[in-house]
Amino acid sequence: MSDIISKVTIADIARALKITPATVSRALNNHPGIKEETKLRVKETALRLNYQPNKIASSLRLGKSNIIGVIIPSAEISFFGSVVHGIEKVANENNYNVLIYQTNELFEYEKKGVQTFLQSQVDAVLASISKETINLDHYQELKRRGIPLILFDRANDQLGVSSVVVDDYAGAFEATKHLISQGCRRIAHIGGQQHVSIFNQRLKGYIDALNVHNIPLNDDLIVYGKVSIDSGRECMKQLLALRQPPDAVFAVEDFTALGAIQAIKQAGKVIPDDIAIIGFANEAFGEFLTPSLSTVNQQTVKMGEEAAKMFFEGQRKGGTWLTQPKKMVLEPALICRESSSKR
Amino acid sequence: MSDIISKVTIADIARALKITPATVSRALNNHPGIKEETKLRVKETALRLNYQPNKIASSLRLGKSNIIGVIIPSAEISFFGSVVHGIEKVANENNYNVLIYQTNELFEYEKKGVQTFLQSQVDAVLASISKETINLDHYQELKRRGIPLILFDRANDQLGVSSVVVDDYAGAFEATKHLISQGCRRIAHIGGQQHVSIFNQRLKGYIDALNVHNIPLNDDLIVYGKVSIDSGRECMKQLLALRQPPDAVFAVEDFTALGAIQAIKQAGKVIPDDIAIIGFANEAFGEFLTPSLSTVNQQTVKMGEEAAKMFFEGQRKGGTWLTQPKKMVLEPALICRESSSKR
DNA sequence: GTGAAAGCGCTAACAC
DNA sequence: GTGTTAGCGCTTTCAC
């Protein structure tokens, strides 16, 4: 019954048509200088025999795999899922596949990811650096081998590679400004690890927005956490314990904001009346919360698309490492929902 | 400056040590019958030259790619993200990589996914069938080629392949029973497309739970939607428009439940007091809603792990298509949160 | 316009 | 315990 079909190769097609494998290969690849008629006959036979090209063989021969390796901290964070979606879209349009490696925010896994991709002979690596990572040598290895590296979101300028990021500073500035416009004056910030540049930028945006609006900076109102629900909750508790608690919070991202919301509710305070809050990232859950969470949208799909496009364009120009690194900065967009809208 | 290193191959190591490539290959693969000393020298040199094995070449030679192809409807649904996580875990332990293909619930993409995987020479395909798919011929093609196929969650018995599913019937039964235990008597069900077996099973579980508890079935209280937030909202509106609206709703999954919640709130009714509600799938957002959403947990990570394990076990026994298909049924677990807990 | 032949990097039979 | 040789399936120079 279920006979397992032996694989059909280019040679089988050649035999069936009494021509050579070389001609079949050329015909299938629409090589100019192959008679139209031959092309047709080859393609017809390929279809009839149910031929599927062996990409592995082709990759070996051509020295390129048509695979993009993507390194992300976690697929559970919808932000990254969304970026990957954008990457996949552009990749598929260019006949590329995408391999994903999750680092779980761990440096060791990140190193292993690069290694895996090296062995898999990916044609490029698109990566978002893990929060834990400080040493960047493993990425240098890609450079030594001439494999394009493009960073997105969690970028790093020292590597001298192209990147697509969102203007975190501007996003933070707008978010803070928005809280000010709602009448808040004691605006707290729950920040993240300051060696991660995006988190540092958001802090700066917050500070400058206060300055511009002549609101004195208050050290008590800035706390640093580890960027997670739990950490957000703990940081908020600290803020609530102040003799004079804040009337608004700008959280470094949405999960942190979520934790903060839980702490605020637990303390019996009302959002946004007692304390207004805004996050960053536009995670999927934000719009479903009660009150719904104000946040900053980062154009995730576009970020992925642009990162992938950078690779394909660099490829056309002969190698990303040879051309000047480009930095693309996407404009963030404020999303005002209930959690920050005072009447 | 940035010299691009030419690739180091097995031959380079051989040359450096004045031995043959064959020996190097064997040494690197820990072949028994290679002197320990040789192995050491080879590995040392490999490290020194910064050698990275070329998996593509190895794959071509061995006729296996060490890649598992995974077909899912969407990575945005955290349910699938979570299953993939489980698959990746087991895959990595077995030195395998995972390629993901998203179908966006579209039949055409599903076909294209299988095709892509065929060309990429994946060693196995793990898939969850899209809602739109009825024709299953593209999966037969995998069979013809002897490529193991294992289904998860959205399975189909006609294909005669192994699968890992959750006991949807039992989950639905428990969910409904729980609503009954809370004192609800007019329990509605917002169902999904009935040709998708998991949705059909959930309907059955709902019906039987009512029967067992002597609650008469009421056709008005069963509406069918397309399993999305919007559809959930619309279906709920229908139910609210009844002369006698329900006092509880069992939604076919969490996004549907979310839409229903929005409609209930909009109508000015209180959850769970006026209408209790429970979903299915334990999506990430459920615990953050207000009120938090009761639901049924499906052991997603385990589902992925088990599906992957099935492949590796079948591999040891010489081909999944030759052995009897196995069906693994995971037990769902009720998660009671606020949306269904009457005082 | 098509054929012949070599080779991408690796591994496995078969030698000895 | 290691070398020799051939070949996985494809593409591409060099012929003619």
Side-chain angles (χ1 to χ4, degrees):
Chain A
M1 331 197 316
S2 65
D3 300 302
I4 289 176
I5 256 59
S6 62
K7 269 181 202 155
V8 179
T9 73
I10 240 174
D12 297 319
I13 300 179
R15 218 170 299 121
L17 293 173
K18 299 198 192 312
I19 53 179
T20 59
T23 309
V24 174
S25 171
R26 286 188 272 239
L28 289 173
N29 292 310
N30 275 320
H31 198 93
I34 289 284
K35 243 192 307 185
E36 269 312 313
E37 192 217 324
T38 315
K39 286 188 188 170
L40 275 174
R41 285 172 56 219
V42 167
K43 287 179 185 173
E44 218 172 276
T45 318
L47 213 62
R48 186 166 56 77
L49 298 182
N50 213 332
Y51 167 77
Q52 293 285 353
N54 183 333
K55 270 202 186 171
I56 300 231
S58 156
S59 293
L60 179 60
R61 178 61 233 251
L62 295 174
K64 69 194 281 274
S65 60
N66 275 44
I67 292 180
I68 294 179
V70 178
I71 295 181
I72 55 173
S74 161
E76 316 265 296
I77 301 176
S78 75
F79 170 80
F80 290 113
S82 205
V83 177
V84 170
H85 206 99
I87 295 174
E88 279 176 336
K89 191 163 155 256
V90 175
N92 287 336
E93 285 166 10
N94 286 274
N95 221 340
Y96 263 69
N97 279 327
V98 173
L99 265 180
I100 297 169
Y101 202 96
Q102 298 179 246
T103 64
N104 296 316
E105 300 279 9
L106 297 176
F107 172 63
E108 281 306 323
Y109 281 15
E110 195 171 285
K111 264 170 64 177
K112 231 179 116 192
V114 172
Q115 172 111 347
T116 303
F117 285 160
L118 240 34
Q119 302 188 357
S120 301
Q121 314 286 119
V122 300
D123 294 343
V125 173
L126 309 195
S128 206
I129 301 175
S130 119
K131 280 187 291 202
E132 205 199 38
T133 299
I134 294 170
N135 182 319
L136 296 169
D137 291 350
H138 48 306
Y139 287 119
Q140 293 291 352
E141 182 61 24
L142 292 170
K143 188 171 195 168
R144 291 200 334 116
R145 290 168 189 272
I147 299 172
L149 169 66
I150 291 161
L151 300 174
F152 57 90
D153 193 51
R154 310 260 195 87
N156 183 301
D157 291 336
Q158 294 162 38
L159 272 170
V161 303
S162 292
S163 57
V164 185
V165 295
V166 91
D167 190 339
D168 288 281
Y169 173 86
F173 190 98
E174 289 303 316
T176 310
K177 192 174 114 190
H178 164 66
L179 293 174
I180 297 171
S181 79
Q182 296 296 303
C184 304
R185 286 300 173 271
R186 289 186 59 76
I187 301 174
H189 175 53
I190 303 180
Q193 297 91 329
Q194 291 303 305
H195 70 264
V196 180
S197 102
I198 57 171
F199 299 154
N200 181 251
Q201 287 300 312
R202 293 180 198 173
L203 172 66
K204 284 193 182 139
Y206 158 82
I207 293 175
D208 284 1
L210 292 186
N211 280 340
V212 166
H213 291 83
N214 295 316
I215 300 182
L217 201 61
N218 183 337
D219 274 351
D220 291 347
L221 293 180
I222 303 181
V223 290
Y224 300 99
K226 287 185 306 182
V227 189
S228 67
I229 299 179
D230 288 342
S231 160
R233 200 186 298 114
E234 292 315 311
C235 291
M236 192 66 222
K237 279 185 188 160
Q238 277 183 50
L239 291 169
L240 288 166
L242 290 176
R243 212 168 324 150
Q244 230 188 317
D247 59 5
V249 177
F250 163 48
V252 70
E253 51 70 73
D254 285 350
F255 285 100
T256 302
L258 180 57
I261 288 176
Q262 293 175 349
I264 296 173
K265 284 187 178 175
Q266 221 167 7
K269 304 235 180 188
V270 176
I271 302 171
D273 306 56
D274 297 331
I275 303 181
I277 183 159
I278 186 165
F280 206 110
N282 196 20
E283 281 292 321
F285 63 81
E287 64 176 304
F288 308 138
L289 297 182
T290 310
S292 54
L293 180 64
S294 295
T295 186
V296 179
N297 185 26
Q298 302 180 86
Q299 307 202 59
T300 46
V301 176
K302 177 148 196 218
M303 185 179 283
E305 289 173 0
E306 293 299 335
K309 277 186 198 158
M310 273 189 181
F311 159 56
F312 289 113
E313 269 157 29
Q315 195 177 230
R316 250 163 257 135
K317 299 200 190 111
T320 319
W321 290 102
L322 303 174
T323 59
Q324 203 54 246
K326 267 179 297 187
K327 184 163 187 164
M328 175 156 201
V329 180
L330 301 177
E331 280 315 306
L334 200 62
I335 299 183
C336 301
R337 299 207 187 96
E338 296 161 2
S339 71
S340 68
S341 306
K342 305 227 181 192
R343 274 129 302 187
Chain B
M1 330 196 316
S2 65
D3 300 304
I4 289 176
I5 256 61
S6 62
K7 269 182 201 154
V8 179
T9 73
I10 237 174
D12 297 320
I13 301 179
R15 217 170 300 119
L17 293 173
K18 299 197 194 309
I19 53 179
T20 60
T23 308
V24 174
S25 169
R26 287 188 274 240
L28 290 171
N29 292 307
N30 274 321
H31 199 93
I34 291 283
K35 241 192 308 185
E36 268 313 312
E37 192 218 323
T38 316
K39 286 188 188 171
L40 275 173
R41 285 174 54 220
V42 166
K43 287 179 185 172
E44 221 172 89
T45 318
L47 215 60
R48 186 167 54 77
L49 298 182
N50 214 331
Y51 166 77
Q52 292 285 355
N54 183 331
K55 269 203 190 174
I56 300 229
S58 158
S59 293
L60 180 60
R61 177 64 234 245
L62 295 174
K64 67 194 280 275
S65 60
N66 275 41
I67 293 179
I68 293 179
V70 178
I71 295 180
I72 54 173
S74 162
E76 316 265 294
I77 301 177
S78 75
F79 169 80
F80 290 112
S82 205
V83 176
V84 170
H85 206 99
I87 295 174
E88 279 176 336
K89 190 164 157 252
V90 175
N92 287 337
E93 285 166 11
N94 287 274
N95 221 339
Y96 263 69
N97 279 328
V98 173
L99 266 181
I100 296 169
Y101 202 97
Q102 299 181 247
T103 64
N104 298 316
E105 300 280 9
L106 296 176
F107 173 63
E108 280 307 322
Y109 281 15
E110 195 172 286
K111 264 169 65 177
K112 229 179 117 194
V114 172
Q115 173 111 347
T116 303
F117 285 161
L118 240 32
Q119 302 188 357
S120 301
Q121 314 288 117
V122 300
D123 293 344
V125 173
L126 309 196
S128 208
I129 302 175
S130 117
K131 280 188 291 202
E132 205 200 38
T133 300
I134 294 171
N135 182 319
L136 296 168
D137 290 350
H138 48 306
Y139 287 119
Q140 293 291 351
E141 182 62 23
L142 292 170
K143 187 170 193 169
R144 291 200 334 118
R145 291 169 187 272
I147 299 171
L149 168 66
I150 291 162
L151 300 174
F152 57 90
D153 194 48
R154 310 261 194 87
N156 183 302
D157 291 337
Q158 294 161 40
L159 272 169
V161 303
S162 291
S163 57
V164 185
V165 296
V166 91
D167 190 337
D168 288 280
Y169 172 88
F173 190 98
E174 289 303 317
T176 310
K177 192 173 116 189
H178 165 65
L179 293 174
I180 297 172
S181 80
Q182 297 296 304
C184 305
R185 286 300 173 270
R186 289 186 59 77
I187 301 173
H189 175 53
I190 302 180
Q193 298 91 327
Q194 291 303 304
H195 70 264
V196 180
S197 102
I198 57 170
F199 299 154
N200 180 251
Q201 288 297 312
R202 293 178 198 174
L203 172 66
K204 285 196 181 136
Y206 159 81
I207 292 175
D208 283 1
L210 293 186
N211 279 340
V212 166
H213 292 82
N214 295 316
I215 300 182
L217 201 61
N218 183 338
D219 273 352
D220 291 347
L221 293 179
I222 303 181
V223 291
Y224 300 99
K226 286 186 307 185
V227 188
S228 67
I229 299 179
D230 288 342
S231 161
R233 200 185 301 115
E234 293 315 310
C235 290
M236 192 65 221
K237 280 185 188 160
Q238 276 183 49
L239 291 169
L240 289 166
L242 290 176
R243 211 170 322 152
Q244 231 190 315
D247 58 6
V249 177
F250 163 48
V252 70
E253 53 70 73
D254 284 351
F255 286 99
T256 303
L258 179 57
I261 288 176
Q262 293 175 349
I264 295 172
K265 285 186 178 174
Q266 219 166 7
K269 304 236 180 187
V270 177
I271 301 172
D273 307 55
D274 297 331
I275 302 181
I277 183 161
I278 186 165
F280 207 111
N282 196 21
E283 282 293 320
F285 63 82
E287 65 176 306
F288 308 138
L289 297 181
T290 312
S292 56
L293 179 65
S294 295
T295 186
V296 178
N297 184 26
Q298 302 180 88
Q299 306 203 58
T300 46
V301 177
K302 179 149 194 216
M303 186 180 282
E305 288 173 0
E306 293 299 333
K309 276 186 199 159
M310 273 189 181
F311 160 57
F312 289 113
E313 270 157 29
Q315 193 176 233
R316 251 164 257 134
K317 297 200 191 111
T320 318
W321 291 102
L322 303 173
T323 58
Q324 204 54 246
K326 266 180 296 185
K327 183 163 187 165
M328 176 155 199
V329 180
L330 301 176
E331 279 314 307
L334 200 63
I335 299 183
C336 301
R337 300 207 186 97
E338 296 161 2
S339 72
S340 68
S341 306
K342 305 228 179 189
R343 276 128 300 188

